[in-house]
Amino acid sequence: PRSTLFPYTTLFRSNETDPARLTLVSELRRAIEERELVLYYQPKAALTDGAVESVEALLRWNHPTRGLVGPDEFIPLAQQTGLIKPLTLFVLDEALGQCRSWQRAGINLGVAINISIRNLLDAHFPELIRTLLDKWEIEPRLLELEITESTVLSDPVRTRRVLEKLSAMGVVLSI
């Protein structure tokens, strides 16, 4: 079943000053600040023996009146408005914090996170990753950044520089 936010999906192509779209942008900004966003972790198992070595972080929005909202309903809006950067920061911080909690409990799992083109066009993104890895005392090899092929191809020169820095740090890249 579709979320109650379904009517908003048509707003992504509409006028940027549309009141409903502006309301949703404001609600998403507040959701990031108020930590209404929730990560679920989907296990990633090895085909050879079924062992779970990592998880993928799946973002959902726990809206106070609309309930649980899937990413297909707010990620496009975040990408269009520039909210994708604080949204990605939230996801990275939460996922790496969870990874650290698992380590303290004796569970050594890596975590995979989907990354947007806006992140890969940001020359400071690798520094942000390094800061968060240091904050949570997580080895870079335990972080996997998932990137779509179209993301890399949209500006291959700029994205290559950022990807090379991330790879040199030891972060796993999955395209």
Side-chain angles (χ1 to χ4, degrees):
R2 302 291 277 170
S3 160
T4 55
L5 273 182
F6 178 70
Y8 286 112
T9 58
T10 59
L11 297 175
F12 299 141
R13 294 187 190 102
S14 68
N15 186 335
E16 290 185 8
T17 60
D18 183 306
R21 184 179 188 280
L22 292 174
T23 298
L24 190 58
V25 170
S26 175
E27 288 177 347
L28 182 55
R29 182 174 286 113
R30 181 191 42 76
I32 296 168
E33 292 168 1
E34 298 294 322
R35 305 186 77 78
E36 292 174 2
L37 303 165
V38 180
L39 291 182
Y40 291 89
Y41 298 95
Q42 178 176 305
K44 294 175 74 173
L47 291 176
T48 54
D49 60 3
V52 175
E53 297 172 354
S54 67
V55 295
E56 181 176 1
L58 305 174
L59 181 64
R60 302 296 180 264
W61 180 2
N62 189 17
H63 194 281
T65 59
R66 295 181 179 99
L68 209 55
V69 179
D72 59 328
E73 305 212 30
F74 63 90
I75 295 294
L77 182 65
Q79 289 175 338
Q80 291 174 1
T81 61
L83 287 175
I84 197 67
K85 288 183 180 183
L87 191 62
T88 301
L89 175 62
F90 170 86
V91 173
L92 285 163
D93 192 45
E94 285 290 310
L96 292 173
Q98 181 60 61
C99 194
R100 184 66 180 147
S101 293
W102 287 326
Q103 285 181 340
R104 287 182 182 133
I107 303 166
N108 198 29
L109 287 176
V111 64
I113 298 169
N114 292 310
I115 299 300
S116 161
I117 180 63
R118 288 204 181 213
N119 301 121
L120 293 181
L121 293 175
D122 180 357
H124 300 291
F125 187 63
E127 295 166 26
L128 171 68
I129 296 289
R130 169 54 60 204
T131 299
L132 290 171
L133 289 169
D134 289 347
K135 171 185 175 181
W136 292 110
E137 300 175 349
I138 300 295
E139 294 177 44
R141 67 176 179 78
L142 293 175
L143 175 61
E144 178 181 351
L145 300 179
E146 296 184 347
I147 305 143
T148 63
E149 201 172 80
S150 61
T151 297
V152 174
L153 294 176
S154 65
D155 189 340
V157 174
R158 285 175 62 190
T159 58
R160 181 179 178 167
R161 284 187 218 128
V162 170
L163 292 172
E164 286 174 347
K165 287 179 183 178
L166 291 167
S167 180
M169 287 171 38
V171 172
V172 177
L173 303 172
S174 176
I175 299 175

